[in-house]
Amino acid sequence: MATVDLNDVRKVYAGGVEAVKGVSIAIPDKQLCVLVGPSGCGKSTLLRMIAGLETISSGTVAIDGKIVNAVGPTERDIAMVFQNYALYPHMKVYDNMAYGLRNRGTPKAEVDSRVRSTAKVLELSGLLDRRPRELSGGQRQRVAMGRAIVRNPKVFLFDEPLSNLDAKLRGQMRVEIKSLQRRLGVTSVYVTHDQLEAMTLADMLVVMNAGLVEQIGAPLDIYEKPASTFVASFIGAPPMNLLSLSTESSANELERKLLGLAPPGGQAAMLGFRPEDAELVADAEDRSGALMLSATVEAVEPVGAETFLHCSAAGNRIVIRVGGRTAAKPGDKLRITATAEKLHWFDRGGRRLDSTSPSS
Amino acid sequence: MIGQSPLRVLIAHAALILGILIVAFPIYYTFVASTQTLQTILKPPLPLLPGDQLWNNYSEALFGGVGRIGGVSVGRLLLNTTVMALGVAVGKIFISILSAYAIVFFRFPLRMTFFWLIFITLMLPVEVRILPTYKVMVDLGMIDTYAGLIIPLIASATATLLFRQFFMTIPGELVEAARVDGAGPWRFFFDILLPLSRTNIAALFVILFIYGWTQYLWPLLVTNSNDMNTIVIALKKMVSFADADTQWHLVMVTAMLAIVPPILVVVLMQRWFVRGLVESEK
Ligand SMILES: Nc1ncnc2c1ncn2[C@@H]1O[C@H](COP(=O)(O)OP(=O)(O)OP(=O)(O)O)[C@@H](O)[C@H]1O
Ligand SMILES: [Mg+2]
């Protein structure tokens, strides 16, 4: 129904804080774009500029090819789901959902049929006569969703809509939002700082840091080829293990082991591998074409289907994942290996070294 | 609960009962006096139980009394006072909710200057600015009019500040949700702000109605004709004759009648804001 295009968007707040420092993102029609990044990186600011709730300091925001910088939130035809839901406390669920439609002069009969059919989709039919405070957190969240969906807008905007729910409900709602968005086919922008939510929801993932975009791509592409050490350590739980190649303590040992492994061009300063890409091996022999590390187990974290071993190796703390149960206990010495194609190399500035480096 | 032992409950109740007696006794005594003949009142001690003149005294005050307070019936006085108290309460709420709305939700030049100007008027009670105000009223020909009674008392920094405090507790997200939902400034005011302010308005109404009802100095100045007196002024005029001439039994009746409307307002509105409190808690 609509594309959203951000072109070199910047935001400088009145106090001089530069919250967004030039962001360009092109969101295709019907896609769910997730903005993810640490607290304070400017995600909400960016979202609110798309919504029209915040002025744009420079750059352009276009919805459906039309630049909307000077258009108010009402006329942009967007709907927003807020972190604290922002339901009208004095209105019944029905009126909460109908309010936006009524303000746009929708005929009464149509308001009624749209509210009721949306309520049915969200399983809110029995709650239409309640007020927000008579609902559970999850139900309020649904009403907030309903209020957005019922208007059938061009774009959905979500600002951390699940952060007030408990973990289990969050998981359920995540799946629901995803399938609903698919079904309705409405272009959406979703802000979160939870990387799991980001990975599972996104068609298109935008990793932000300090007001800038670090990387844009499909979630698994980003996972497999993080463009920087920041992305590598932000996406994935537990994060990628990063071994510094230049610190005194690790240099000798590591560099010896890395003889057979050539970083793909450029001077590597960091080497990374995912916890699940490491294997435990019994032999003490170094294999060629693979990273071999001796590690000491410091903590064991069993979570059921898998176990995380926190170890120290070559002066770095690393985490490796082993399936199921393990006999390892703190103090054990392990041999760890990771094959060459599973290794990620980064330069001194933290950028990925890769012959086929993904666009960023 | 602080005290659960019988002794503590007893002491607490004793203190409460004593307090109520101290507050209520003068009112009760006024009531007793309002049911006695003038002779009984003038010959102390006054009995502690109501007399048999209830009907006589009250009907004389309400329907009889030409020549008592310059020929004005108690009904007329109650009407005057009600108009004034309602006018002051409604006017104050209307003006202050609008000014608070402007100050909290709009950005305009000199916004804070206006806010401080309003704030400064807190330091200027009616009494301080009474002479210039009186002069203005005379020039505008508003002596002996309801407008003259009401308008100078309407400006209210206190109510503006209260509404401002309340508006500032309304989450920004709610305001933004309304904007996204297509509510302009008026819609937002009427559909969202006003309903949310219901409890505040009810509470303020009670306080301001009583404030208007009990005004003394301003009505005294701005009304010359007995027709326009408020009940408080009339009471004062009734007792300003020599003691022997004062119709004490009628004074007592008038005093009793003067208390009734404020009590009604409190009792009726209390139901309102209790319901409001229960409903709007988030
Ligand atoms: N109204 C404002 N005035 C000045 N600075 C602001 C304002 N709002 C946000 N900022 C600043 O802009 C930066 C980005 O804020 P923003 O709310 O976009 O972060 P965020 O990525 O959404 O973080 P979070 O995950 O904590 O919600 C922060 O440094 C914040 O302090
Ligand atoms: Mg935010």
Side-chain angles (χ1 to χ4, degrees), chain A residues 60-140:
Chain A
T60 56
V61 171
I63 296 178
D64 232 359
K66 199 171 121 268
I67 291 177
V68 291
N69 282 33
V71 178
T74 312
E75 290 77 35
R76 287 191 191 189
D77 199 12
I78 48 101
M80 190 152 170
V81 178
F82 294 87
Q83 182 170 2
N84 296 311
Y85 316 139
L87 300 177
Y88 310 119
H90 59 293
M91 290 188 198
K92 297 187 168 152
V93 168
Y94 183 97
D95 298 308
N96 261 287
M97 286 167 67
Y99 189 62
L101 289 173
R102 288 186 188 140
N103 283 341
R104 281 171 172 74
T106 317
K108 221 176 173 125
E110 197 191 330
V111 171
D112 192 66
S113 75
R114 273 163 79 169
V115 169
R116 289 190 192 282
S117 66
T118 308
K120 196 179 261 166
V121 171
L122 291 168
E123 293 164 32
L124 288 169
S125 298
L127 307 173
L128 287 175
D129 280 333
R130 302 231 195 136
R131 278 166 216 261
R133 67 163 192 288
E134 297 160 345
L135 301 175
S136 72
Q139 290 166 335
R140 280 180 217 184

Side-chain angles (χ1 to χ4, degrees), chain A residues 48 52-53 73-74 78-80 82-91 99-100 103-104 133 147 151, chain B residues 172-174 176-184 187-188 191-193 195-196 198 278-282:
Chain A
R48 291 162 49 79
L53 296 168
T74 312
I78 48 101
M80 190 152 170
F82 294 87
Q83 182 170 2
N84 296 311
Y85 316 139
L87 300 177
Y88 310 119
H90 59 293
M91 290 188 198
Y99 189 62
N103 283 341
R104 281 171 172 74
R133 67 163 192 288
R147 191 169 63 175
R151 287 221 334 261
Chain B
E173 278 193 357
L174 200 63
E176 289 172 350
R179 276 179 75 194
V180 171
D181 260 347
R187 283 245 169 87
F188 177 70
D191 293 348
I192 292 166
L193 213 51
L196 290 179
R198 232 175 16 198
V278 174
E279 266 180 10
S280 72
E281 93 193 355
K282 279 169 216 146

Side-chain angles (χ1 to χ4, degrees), chain A residues 269-325:
Chain A
M270 291 274 218
L271 168 64
F273 61 94
R274 295 273 175 203
E276 68 272 24
D277 290 336
E279 267 179 85
L280 299 185
V281 283
D283 53 337
E285 282 302 299
D286 283 1
R287 295 180 192 175
S288 66
L291 170 71
M292 296 287 292
L293 285 174
S294 297
T296 310
V297 178
E298 295 194 329
V300 180
E301 231 178 36
V303 289
E306 56 201 9
T307 302
F308 295 107
L309 302 177
H310 294 252
C311 314
S312 67
N316 293 275
R317 295 195 52 110
I318 61 171
V319 180
I320 61 176
R321 195 198 79 135
V322 294
R325 288 154 192 272

Side-chain angles (χ1 to χ4, degrees), chain A residues 39-40 42-45 83 159-160 191 193:
Chain A
S39 186
K43 311 178 293 285
S44 298
T45 306
Q83 182 170 2
D159 194 352
E160 310 203 18
V191 162
H193 61 245

Side-chain angles (χ1 to χ4, degrees), chain A residues 199-220:
Chain A
M199 291 292 291
T200 50
L201 275 176
D203 297 317
M204 175 183 179
L205 186 57
V206 177
V207 185
M208 290 183 65
N209 183 23
L212 287 168
V213 170
E214 287 273 334
Q215 190 172 7
I216 300 179
L220 286 176

